[in-house]
Amino acid sequence: QPQPQAQPKGRELFRSQRKESEGSVDCPNLEFEYGDADGHGAELAELYSYTEEPELSHNRRCFEEDFHTQVPDRRWLELDRAQQKAYVMRLLDGLEVVNRDKRLRVARAILYLAQGVFGDCDNEGDVLHWSRHNSFLLYQLGTFSAFLELLNMEIENSQACSSALRKPAISLADSTELRVLLTVMYLIVENIRVEQETDPPEWRTCRETFRMELSFPVHTEEPFALLLFTMVTRFCSGHAPHFPMKKVLLLLWKVLLFTLGGFEALQAMKVRRREELGLPPLPEDSIQVVRGMRAASPPTYAIELVEQQQQQPQQQQQKRSHRSRRPLMKQDSLDIYNERDPFKNDEGGVDEDENDEVDSGIEGELDLMERDAIIPAMPAQRPPIERVSFPKGLPWAPKVRQKDIEHFLEASRNKFIGFTLGQDTETLIGLPRPIHESVKTLKQHKYVSISDVQIKNEEELEKCPMSLGEEEVQETPCEVLYRAMLYNLPQYMIALLKILLAAAPTSKAKTDSINILADVLPEEMPITVLQSMKLGIDVNRHKEIIVKSISALLLLLLKHFKLNHIYQFEYVSQHLVFANCIPLILKFFNQNIMSYITAKNSISVLDYPHCTVCDLPELTAESLEAGDNNQFCWRNLFSCINLLRILNKLTKWKHSRTMMLVVFKSAPILKRALKVKQAMMQLYVLKLLKIQTKYLGRQWRKSNMKTMSAIYQKVRHRMNDDWAYGNDIDARPWDFQAEECTLRANIEAFNSRRYDKAQDSEFAPVDNCLQSVLGQRLELPEDFHYSYELWLEREVFSQPIRWEELLHCQ
């Protein structure tokens, strides 16, 4: 009688201990929808640091002082469109003045318009509405072009650079002009980029015009994104430490998102490109498949194992009689849940990489509350028939590469016939019936990617440059950007990774590292504890936003370049790998990832546009510590998924890079990331674990069977891929160096053929006809006829002709 009462007490004790432990198992399902970016208001709010808040009222004063002298007794919202245009044109004329302070005041007035004339608005919705309205108006009147000229001037302002270099500590004041210019440009780009159903037709036309203007530059030789990339490299080289890097990176990301297109646009482009190449349609829409996935439960920990042991009778704990208990429990588990039994002990036990963790279930297992409810009922009777749930089909259609079919047939012919037929996949004579069926099944699921076609075309162009002639390259925004970035691309990648390293929460502050906090630190450092707390939150938020923007723009570049041409993608990938991107991302994940995703580094009452229309409550240490009420931090979860996707793109089908994951001991780091109950994040973690399982050894696979089961459930199947056994014929360690060298040679040949125009002279036709060569008119210098006779005498008549030398020449 007393024992059943003691069990709940023990359970409560261990549950409280578990909640206090790092990365609590009670992580709820995160209601997170992955997309191109966060909500419109949230994206605008992240542009401003909390230390910049006083500048909002400064912008308002600059506008109102000028506006009331020009349009007395009127509000901006009361003016008709013609009057608003006339006033903006007057402001733009003010940007032409020589006086720097006057120019800055006019720029601030324009910034206030782009911020939504919040002084005349009653709520946040009105501010966002007028911000969009004014951004379209400002763009139509040429504001973006005017600010682009001013930005170029500020970048080349050597006085500001030398002043910043001399200062021991750089603060907000050093980047005032740049921040105002970049903020206006960001607001115009972001407000025009975001589409809404209520947009009038002229706004849609305006959006397409602006996209074309940013993608295909008319007045300059390079797209706008390249200017921002140049700012990033100058900042990292130490020549311009006062550049406001967060704003530059956010603007760069949004410009790439606007000009190249987001993830759904990419999917549509991929479908269209496959049609153009005559390839069969995609087996499924990957975005929709991932959205429909259910999050899995995280691995169980040692503290929970003790709880499970407490629920069993003492004698079963000591004996662990597997023969008497397990078959029955396994049968129950199959009948009731069609999944593993969530209550049984797993003698496979402790992970060899993480002794504090027992991986007893990553795939769908019951929540703890459900478990408490079911335990008493199970021994008594079988649950009702309604509880039965049959397993659904696997989420992905399997894929087979041409190479896989060739390997399968090569092995089969060697085994049954004793010789091979090279790349012939049609001849099946002499092979037994089951092999015929296998080949038929493999061909049914054969998948030819756009990259395969591009690689094949490139091989043909390299072999026959004369007969195939000039390649027709489609002038897409992606192609224009790659051509512009090509020669400085390694520096751009190194600079982005340097900033990412400095912004990572695992990085230690070093004296020689780059200072990414120049545009968040105030001129006067905080005095009170409250001010210090506020600045601490601001600095952490600042770093999170930088990680978000870099991870998003790198992923966008990789995906678009891969669709445009596989060797453009490989060029970027290889330079990321050379710049140590793989260990950097693993270093980023080598932290308490749950605490990073649930971080409360935001003060919602200070966020734009809330702080512009609402009276701010008095901030206290308690309110700052409490943070917001959100279940997780959207930007941090977004960043983690982006970084995992980048890591997948860098390592997919690259054995040498997969070995880097093994060498850097990524398996325990990635397994800890599975604590986050979000389906998309778990999918990309499982993909990274899948590609390296064959190298981790039999003992690791045996100890992590539940993780292996989750990989089987959630990751796409490659029919001939024996990832779970480690018998891969391609995984020869001596081929790793050659793999990267061959890839590099192919990339250099592609870049040289397509973009290095000096090489064209090698294939120019040679004129061998004596008559036409002698008949060509040559441009001779003016003084030629004065010295012609002298030249003839010295070079021709006075030289003896040695006819016998002609015989030796042959």
Side-chain angles (χ1 to χ4, degrees):
Q1 288 285 334
Q3 198 167 355
Q5 294 175 2
Q7 280 182 359
K9 286 182 184 175
R11 200 155 46 236
E12 286 299 323
L13 171 68
F14 285 102
R15 185 169 293 139
S16 65
Q17 287 178 9
R18 184 175 56 249
K19 281 180 179 173
E20 289 166 11
S21 69
E22 177 183 310
S24 168
V25 181
D26 289 337
C27 168
N29 283 310
L30 303 182
E31 297 298 323
F32 171 82
E33 188 171 338
Y34 185 80
D36 295 321
D38 204 347
H40 186 51
E43 290 295 337
L44 295 186
E46 288 181 353
L47 181 61
Y48 309 99
S49 301
Y50 296 141
T51 45
E52 286 181 279
E53 186 204 341
E55 294 188 19
L56 292 168
S57 53
H58 189 183
N59 300 339
R60 181 180 174 182
R61 278 198 307 277
C62 290
F63 172 81
E64 288 179 348
E65 285 170 13
D66 184 76
F67 186 72
H68 292 318
T69 58
Q70 300 299 319
V71 192
D73 305 323
R74 299 287 295 278
R75 296 164 67 213
W76 173 261
L77 311 188
E78 295 168 358
L79 302 184
D80 61 29
R81 188 168 179 78
Q83 291 170 320
Q84 288 179 346
K85 277 186 174 181
Y87 180 71
V88 171
M89 290 302 288
R90 224 202 111 270
L91 279 179
L92 290 175
D93 288 340
L95 291 176
E96 302 291 334
V97 297
V98 176
N99 187 302
R100 190 180 173 86
D101 291 333
K102 285 183 180 176
R103 210 164 57 223
L104 181 59
R105 289 183 68 80
V106 174
R108 283 192 180 280
I110 293 172
L111 174 54
Y112 176 69
L113 284 175
Q115 286 172 337
V117 286
F118 47 80
D120 296 348
C121 297
D122 300 322
N123 56 54
E124 295 177 36
D126 287 349
V127 177
L128 294 176
H129 166 76
W130 281 103
S131 179
R132 289 195 82 223
H133 174 275
N134 293 343
S135 294
F136 276 95
L137 178 68
L138 288 169
Y139 168 68
Q140 286 164 346
L141 298 176
T143 310
F144 192 86
S145 303
F147 272 69
L148 182 54
E149 288 181 20
L150 290 173
L151 181 64
N152 275 306
M153 281 171 52
E154 273 307 318
I155 291 169
E156 300 304 325
N157 185 349
S158 56
Q159 187 181 353
C161 290
S162 57
S163 164
L165 286 167
R166 283 196 302 269
K167 285 192 176 182
I170 301 172
S171 67
L172 274 173
D174 295 293
S175 58
T176 304
E177 287 86 355
L178 277 169
R179 283 187 294 106
V180 170
L181 298 174
L182 289 165
T183 304
V184 171
M185 296 172 95
Y186 179 88
L187 289 169
I188 292 174
V189 169
E190 180 64 1
N191 280 317
I192 293 177
R193 180 189 73 82
V194 174
E195 296 183 44
Q196 292 183 3
E197 291 179 3
T198 54
D199 289 352
E202 62 266 22
W203 281 15
R204 290 173 189 173
T205 311
C206 181
R207 181 177 295 115
E208 286 310 309
T209 309
F210 191 27
R211 182 185 278 124
M212 295 296 285
E213 186 182 313
L214 289 172
S215 306
F216 305 104
V218 181
H219 305 297
T220 57
E221 293 179 3
E222 55 190 32
F224 175 56
L226 201 74
L227 176 67
L228 299 173
F229 271 118
T230 309
M231 288 183 76
V232 173
T233 49
R234 285 190 59 178
F235 172 80
C236 285
S237 64
H239 297 311
H242 65 298
F243 281 1
M245 227 358 78
K246 184 186 84 173
K247 286 182 168 53
V248 173
L249 290 166
L250 281 172
L251 180 54
L252 176 56
W253 167 37
K254 291 305 171 63
V255 166
L256 293 177
L257 190 57
F258 185 32
T259 54
L260 303 181
F263 299 129
E264 290 190 2
L266 255 167
Q267 189 74 6
M269 287 159 64
K270 194 174 181 180
V271 169
R272 197 165 58 249
R273 185 68 64 85
R274 289 185 70 82
E275 283 179 9
E276 289 169 5
L277 295 172
L279 296 173
L282 292 164
E284 72 272 296
D285 184 340
S286 54
I287 296 172
Q288 297 306 321
V289 172
V290 173
R291 279 181 184 163
M293 276 189 170
R294 186 172 62 89
S297 295
T300 325
Y301 299 89
I303 194 90
E304 188 165 353
L305 181 65
V306 180
E307 176 188 337
Q308 290 173 5
Q309 288 175 343
Q310 280 209 343
Q311 292 170 10
Q312 297 174 2
Q314 190 67 29
Q315 66 272 20
Q316 282 188 350
Q317 254 190 64
Q318 291 168 354
K319 289 180 186 177
R320 289 200 176 185
S321 176
H322 304 302
R323 289 183 184 177
S324 61
R325 181 171 177 78
R326 282 207 167 193
L328 175 64
M329 295 306 290
K330 203 173 271 185
Q331 187 63 47
D332 277 351
S333 122
L334 286 169
D335 288 347
I336 300 168
Y337 311 110
N338 292 306
E339 291 183 315
R340 61 174 290 286
D341 175 26
F343 321 126
K344 71 185 179 192
N345 280 325
D346 189 355
E347 85 278 12
V350 182
D351 187 318
E352 62 183 347
D353 291 313
E354 298 177 74
N355 293 327
D356 62 332
E357 178 177 325
V358 178
D359 185 12
S360 61
I362 175 66
E363 72 271 30
E365 74 178 30
L366 296 173
D367 287 330
L368 295 166
M369 295 303 291
E370 292 179 65
R371 181 182 302 179
D372 291 344
I374 293 172
I375 284 171
M378 283 190 69
Q381 60 177 16
R382 189 177 292 279
I385 196 72
E386 288 81 5
R387 294 296 298 274
V388 177
S389 60
F390 294 99
K392 293 178 182 176
L394 295 169
W396 304 100
K399 285 182 180 176
V400 178
R401 295 182 298 169
Q402 175 70 17
K403 191 177 170 185
D404 296 332
I405 301 174
E406 288 169 8
H407 282 168
F408 176 74
L409 277 170
E410 185 179 5
S412 301
R413 285 173 183 144
N414 269 328
K415 181 177 180 182
F416 293 106
I417 306 173
F419 64 89
T420 61
L421 296 175
Q423 295 180 339
D424 184 347
T425 58
E426 300 303 321
T427 308
L428 301 178
I429 296 167
L431 295 174
R433 195 49 142 183
I435 300 295
H436 287 233
E437 293 296 323
S438 300
V439 172
K440 182 182 174 185
T441 306
L442 288 173
K443 285 184 177 177
Q444 278 176 350
H445 294 96
K446 181 181 168 183
Y447 176 77
V448 180
S449 68
I450 296 169
S451 302
D452 295 337
V453 176
Q454 289 169 343
I455 289 170
K456 192 175 178 183
N457 289 345
E458 194 60 30
E459 286 173 358
E460 289 174 2
L461 282 165
E462 283 292 323
K463 281 180 190 172
C464 318
M466 302 290 285
S467 58
L468 291 175
E470 194 74 21
E471 181 194 13
E472 285 186 25
V473 181
Q474 199 175 352
E475 197 76 347
T476 60
C478 191
E479 182 65 31
V480 171
L481 180 66
Y482 181 79
R483 196 165 55 236
M485 288 177 67
L486 179 60
Y487 295 106
N488 290 316
L489 196 139
Q491 288 90 327
Y492 298 148
M493 296 303 113
I494 290 168
L496 287 172
L497 292 182
K498 268 188 181 179
I499 299 170
L500 183 62
L501 176 63
T506 49
S507 295
K508 304 289 186 291
K510 292 180 183 174
T511 50
D512 59 340
S513 65
I514 50 175
N515 177 19
I516 56 169
L517 305 177
D519 52 331
V520 71
L521 296 175
E523 285 185 89
E524 297 177 3
M525 292 307 284
I527 305 167
T528 66
V529 173
L530 191 67
Q531 288 174 338
S532 298
M533 285 180 70
K534 181 182 163 187
L535 183 59
I537 290 171
D538 207 2
V539 165
N540 289 337
R541 174 177 176 269
H542 182 81
K543 288 181 174 181
E544 289 172 4
I545 294 166
I546 287 175
V547 172
K548 170 187 172 181
S549 55
I550 292 178
S551 65
L553 77 87
L554 280 177
L555 181 61
L556 265 182
L557 282 177
L558 288 171
K559 286 186 78 68
H560 276 283
F561 285 152
K562 188 173 185 184
L563 183 60
N564 199 52
H565 199 288
I566 183 63
Y567 284 136
Q568 294 177 350
F569 161 80
E570 296 291 7
Y571 188 52
V572 177
S573 297
Q574 204 161 54
H575 281 293
L576 284 172
V577 172
F578 292 162
N580 281 334
C581 185
I582 292 175
L584 170 54
I585 294 176
L586 293 174
K587 179 186 169 92
F588 180 89
F589 279 96
N590 194 18
Q591 58 170 312
N592 183 353
I593 208 71
M594 274 305 301
S595 67
Y596 183 71
I597 280 168
T598 55
K600 307 284 186 188
N601 290 317
S602 59
I603 309 167
S604 52
V605 292
L606 295 181
D607 281 340
Y608 170 90
H610 184 275
C611 64
T612 60
V613 289
C614 300
D615 294 328
L616 300 182
E618 188 178 350
L619 293 173
T620 63
E622 289 75 22
S623 66
L624 289 181
E625 279 182 351
D628 53 32
N629 297 320
N630 293 335
Q631 186 189 24
F632 57 89
C633 177
W634 196 97
R635 67 173 162 266
N636 288 356
L637 188 46
F638 177 71
S639 302
C640 289
I641 292 174
N642 288 341
L643 290 171
L644 287 168
R645 294 183 77 183
I646 291 166
L647 201 51
N648 268 290
K649 291 211 165 296
L650 295 181
T651 52
K652 189 176 182 182
W653 302 122
K654 305 285 191 305
H655 294 104
S656 53
R657 297 175 194 176
T658 304
M659 284 306 292
M660 287 178 77
L661 292 178
V662 179
V663 168
F664 290 120
K665 299 194 183 330
S666 67
I669 296 170
L670 293 168
K671 270 193 67 187
R672 281 199 297 275
L674 289 170
K675 293 175 186 178
V676 182
K677 284 183 76 173
Q678 205 285 320
M680 192 170 191
M681 182 163 168
Q682 288 180 341
L683 171 69
Y684 289 110
V685 171
L686 291 170
K687 278 186 171 187
L688 287 165
L689 285 169
K690 177 186 174 181
I691 61 174
Q692 55 177 315
T693 48
K694 64 181 75 156
Y695 306 111
L696 293 174
R698 188 179 170 199
Q699 183 56 46
W700 188 93
R701 296 195 291 273
K702 187 179 174 185
S703 303
N704 294 276
M705 282 309 295
K706 305 309 181 291
T707 305
M708 301 285 281
S709 175
I711 292 170
Y712 175 81
Q713 282 186 352
K714 293 188 180 297
V715 181
R716 187 191 300 279
H717 287 266
R718 301 273 173 175
M719 287 191 170
N720 286 9
D721 184 10
D722 58 347
W723 58 273
Y725 303 101
N727 302 322
D728 190 12
I729 58 168
D730 287 340
R732 295 179 185 139
W734 55 85
D735 286 341
F736 293 157
Q737 194 72 26
E739 182 185 49
E740 289 289 347
C741 291
T742 306
L743 181 60
R744 190 169 190 176
N746 290 340
I747 294 165
E748 285 175 357
F750 164 76
N751 284 333
S752 173
R753 182 189 61 74
R754 192 185 272 196
Y755 303 107
D756 192 356
K757 296 302 176 190
Q759 294 290 327
D760 291 352
S761 59
E762 188 181 336
F763 301 116
V766 178
D767 190 353
N768 293 317
C769 177
L770 184 65
Q771 197 170 358
S772 68
V773 169
L774 292 175
Q776 287 177 5
R777 294 187 66 83
L778 297 174
E779 291 292 327
L780 299 171
E782 290 181 7
D783 61 341
F784 179 75
H785 65 278
Y786 295 122
S787 57
Y788 176 58
E789 290 182 359
L790 184 64
W791 179 82
L792 274 176
E793 185 63 38
R794 190 180 69 237
E795 298 294 332
V796 181
F797 300 146
S798 64
Q799 295 290 333
I801 300 172
R802 299 185 180 88
W803 298 102
E804 66 277 5
E805 286 188 7
L806 287 173
L807 300 173
H808 296 307
C809 291
Q810 291 176 358

